[in-house]
Amino acid sequence: MDVDPLSLTTLLAAAAMAGWIDAVVGGGGLLLLPALLVAAPGMPVASALGTNKLTAIAGTATAAVTYARRTKIDWAVAGPAAGLAMCCAGVGAALAGAVPASAYRPVVLVVLVAVAAFVVLRPRLGVVAQPHRRTRVRVGVAVVVAGVGIALYDGLVGPGTGTFLVVAFTALVGADFVHGSAMAKVVNVGTNLGALAVFAATGHVWWLLGAAMAVCNIAGAAVGARMALRRGSGFVRVVLLVVVVALVGKLGFDQWVAA
């Protein structure tokens, strides 16, 4: 592990902030992956992805436990989705090196812009739970969307996964943002575990660095989950919009400026 003290400090701070973002609404990888690639320039992209998963699983598990202790989680949705997500994220991680960023970036950009517009144009979405939306068909669709579609994306790329999960659960089964975020953390544990297993098996995890970052990620996640529970769905909605705009900006920069 060849990381100088200043870069290590930067990565530990980024891990803590990413844990907070992930716990509230997802999207911590937006901060953590670029930080890894900049602060550890000799790290291969696959190793950055794998080390990020090691860090993130600690934070998402902490947030999931915090939510589970303080609010009710819809396990009929989150449980099956998490099981599927573990397998599908592993498949995505196995394919991570075979799919060029140019193939998925425009699609993700369009989806993110659509998500932002959807949240802005429907100001009541996720602020108050809408239990009438939770039909058997919608539950099935939510499990497939989260456990297969979003999980594959998480294994392939990662940043924004938690955000997509929160929006999926609020839009499909009528959860408010706090309960949607709680379910998202459970599923995110599954995606991180599946992807981490593949990256670890192929030698793409920097274990010492990832473990140190995981400690900071846990601290950030614990604070973020408690803050989301205390401040409620309106606060989560604002953070969601900020993270989506940041993701659009980052992906847009990569697509048209950095390229």
Side-chain angles (χ1 to χ4, degrees), residues 229-254:
L229 287 163
R230 186 172 65 251
R231 296 197 176 186
S233 294
F235 170 71
V236 177
R237 182 177 186 272
V238 172
V239 177
L240 171 68
L241 285 171
V242 171
V243 170
V244 168
V245 169
L247 278 166
V248 169
K250 173 63 168 62
L251 290 173
F253 178 84
D254 291 344

Side-chain angles (χ1 to χ4, degrees), residues 30 34 38 105 109 112 245-259:
L30 169 70
V38 171
R105 195 179 293 139
L109 267 170
L112 282 169
V245 169
L247 278 166
V248 169
K250 173 63 168 62
L251 290 173
F253 178 84
D254 291 344
Q255 179 71 19
W256 292 296
V257 180

Side-chain angles (χ1 to χ4, degrees), residues 191-204:
T191 65
N192 286 332
L193 184 59
L196 176 61
V198 173
F199 285 123
T202 54
H204 287 300

Side-chain angles (χ1 to χ4, degrees), residues 145-241:
V145 168
V148 178
I150 298 176
L152 278 170
Y153 167 79
D154 191 32
L156 279 167
V157 191
T161 295
T163 306
F164 290 137
L165 287 169
V166 172
V167 172
F169 291 138
T170 54
L172 291 173
V173 294
D176 60 44
F177 279 131
V178 170
H179 289 86
S181 191
M183 288 191 285
K185 294 299 139 297
V186 173
V187 178
N188 222 170
V189 171
T191 65
N192 286 332
L193 184 59
L196 176 61
V198 173
F199 285 123
T202 54
H204 287 300
V205 179
W206 288 21
W207 292 100
L208 289 177
L209 177 60
M213 292 168 65
V215 173
C216 296
N217 197 252
I218 288 171
V223 172
R226 287 178 172 83
M227 189 175 293
L229 287 163
R230 186 172 65 251
R231 296 197 176 186
S233 294
F235 170 71
V236 177
R237 182 177 186 272
V238 172
V239 177
L240 171 68
L241 285 171

Side-chain angles (χ1 to χ4, degrees), residues 34-51:
L36 279 165
L37 293 171
V38 171
M43 177 181 285
V45 173
S47 296
L49 289 168
T51 305

